Amino acid sequence: MVERYGGPEVVRMGEVDEPVATEPDLVVRVEAATVGATDSTNRLGRPAFARLDFGLTRPKHPVLGYDFAGVVERVGSAVRRFAPGDRVYGTLAPAPGSHAERVRIAEDGLVARIPDGLDAASAVSLLDGFFTAMPFLRDGGRVGPGQTVLVNGASGTVGSSAVQFAKHLGATVVGVCGTGHLDLVRALGADEVIDYTRDDFTEARDRYDVIFDAVGKRSFRECRPALTPDGIYLTTVPALSVLLRARHARSSSTGRRAGIMFTGLHGIAEKSADLALIGELAASGAIVPVIDRVVPFDEIVEAHRRVDGGHKAGNVVVAMAPVLREARATPGAAS
Ligand SMILES: NC(=O)c1ccc[n+]([C@@H]2O[C@H](COP(=O)([O-])OP(=O)(O)OC[C@H]3O[C@@H](n4cnc5c(N)ncnc54)[C@H](OP(=O)(O)O)[C@@H]3O)[C@@H](O)[C@H]2O)c1
């Protein structure tokens, strides 16, 4: 839990009340949860505008974490779809609380059975990245066959999901990452990889229908010449210029455009459909989870340090259950 803003060292183990399963709710014993970029933001209280939501002077939600995977332990009297013993995964977003031994979630919340063959660490590693990449590419970029999509930060949580989902949508995919992650990004399906330490993708001209900057490292101004004349630049990280241009992007159907989304704020109906799709694609093997490392829950400070470093490959997972099975190996995953 975090009771003041600061670096990874402000995270500590603590006691909170046991969740109770009221009529429409499940209590899930958490086996695995991810520590992600949003947890860093919430822990740091930076950028400052994040405090408007998370607490002006100190965090109003001491337990961080959004996504979880585990086993249903108790159900309320009105619950019909789930029973104790079911293996489930889901997200508590927009409020945090999954860095805990147990979570409570409504039966009609963002919770579903874990696809067969996935352990908890693998299941939870599907959520943050795909919940983010899917709407960006499908709704923001309208990605489809015949398009060329560049994913900047292709080895991160969002980027590794974006590479896979853009391939699933039929696009030609170019992934940008550092030298150590080129093989991983190729293994995830990228048709071409660019090492940002050697080459600058923004030097291309009129090439990409979509540039998805999954890590928000390059501006629209820099990327604009590399877009096709009707291409769109999408970023996960808000810049004022993009926020202003995003209004234009919605109203304009021609010309190079820029857009941003705040996928964490999307409604439950939209996210439920995406959770079902994530489950289907994972069950068929069309997408795979990418795990940077699995860290025991009581070493969560190390997990925060790894996330803050900005070079994880996919997801950092904290494992609550002492008997958590070895995380399924991901092709080419580097640590
Ligand atoms: N708008 C939204 O709705 C939304 C939703 C979720 C997340 N986000 C935001 O999305 C961002 C990305 O999150 P994430 O969890 O995917 O990040 P992440 O996993 O921490 O990204 C790490 C990856 O970024 C790569 N990288 C680092 N510097 C780079 C550079 N200069 N150029 C290209 N790649 C670089 C690293 O590759 P190497 O190690 O190979 O260098 C590493 O694999 C965060 O800022 C997060 O807050 C926004």
Side-chain angles (χ1 to χ4, degrees):
M1 59 204 301
V2 291
E3 287 161 313
R4 63 189 170 91
Y5 290 120
E9 68 286 351
V10 303
V11 183
R12 64 172 189 86
M13 304 303 278
E15 297 286 330
V16 294
D17 292 339
E18 280 277 335
V20 177
T22 54
E23 285 171 23
D25 296 336
L26 332 169
V27 170
V28 177
R29 180 167 51 74
V30 180
E31 290 184 343
T34 41
V35 179
T38 312
D39 295 309
S40 287
T41 303
N42 292 346
R43 190 203 69 229
L44 277 166
R46 284 204 306 267
F49 66 76
R51 295 191 185 202
L52 292 175
D53 181 40
F54 213 66
L56 284 180
T57 53
R58 64 193 182 99
K60 66 181 178 202
H61 300 288
V63 181
L64 301 180
Y66 293 95
D67 304 336
F68 65 88
V71 179
V72 175
E73 202 170 66
R74 295 188 295 277
V75 297
S77 57
V79 169
R80 297 287 172 266
R81 285 171 51 218
F82 298 98
D86 286 348
R87 298 181 54 71
V88 295
Y89 67 148
T91 183
L92 304 177
S98 73
H99 293 170
E101 290 174 328
R102 288 177 181 75
V103 295
R104 183 177 71 173
I105 187 163
E107 176 181 35
D108 60 0
L110 289 163
V111 56
R113 284 190 180 73
I114 293 177
D116 287 345
L118 289 187
D119 63 23
S122 301
V124 78
S125 297
L126 291 165
L127 297 176
D128 185 20
F130 284 101
F131 269 136
T132 306
M134 291 194 330
F136 265 99
L137 297 175
R138 180 191 55 213
D139 311 329
R142 302 203 176 123
V143 169
Q147 289 190 319
T148 302
V149 175
L150 179 133
V151 179
N152 191 36
S155 46
T157 295
V158 177
S160 61
S161 304
V163 168
Q164 297 184 70
F165 193 61
K167 283 307 295 176
H168 169 73
L169 293 174
T172 298
V173 178
V174 178
V176 182
C177 61
T179 317
H181 292 141
L182 295 171
D183 287 346
L184 165 67
V185 174
R186 262 191 219 102
L188 293 174
D191 299 280
E192 188 185 328
V193 290
I194 295 175
D195 180 345
Y196 71 81
T197 68
R198 292 165 173 263
D199 296 305
D200 182 355
F201 71 86
T202 67
E203 288 175 0
R205 291 293 172 267
D206 301 335
R207 178 164 184 212
Y208 302 110
D209 300 291
V210 177
I211 293 178
F212 179 35
D213 191 353
V215 283
K217 297 285 185 191
R218 306 301 295 263
S219 67
F220 177 50
R221 192 175 55 80
E222 289 175 304
C223 293
R224 192 179 179 133
L227 288 169
T228 56
D230 287 333
I232 185 163
Y233 159 89
L234 298 167
T235 180
T236 54
V237 180
L240 186 59
S241 59
V242 171
L243 290 172
L244 294 174
R245 283 175 195 279
R247 290 184 59 215
H248 174 66
R250 280 196 294 275
S251 61
S252 159
S253 57
T254 56
R256 295 177 173 93
R257 294 157 295 149
I260 181 155
M261 292 181 173
F262 298 98
T263 54
L265 303 178
H266 284 181
I268 197 152
E270 196 174 355
K271 290 185 100 169
S272 291
D274 282 348
L275 182 57
L277 182 58
I278 290 169
E280 273 170 40
L281 295 177
S284 72
I287 60 172
V288 296
V290 181
I291 298 174
D292 180 270
R293 63 192 57 191
V294 181
V295 174
F297 190 29
D298 59 2
E299 293 174 25
I300 192 166
V301 171
E302 291 312 312
H304 276 262
R305 285 208 174 96
R306 178 66 178 156
V307 174
D308 280 14
H311 291 285
K312 64 186 170 63
N315 296 273
V316 173
V317 176
V318 282
M320 283 70 171
V323 290
L324 189 80
R325 275 178 283 157
E326 193 67 25
R328 197 169 73 168
T330 305
S335 60

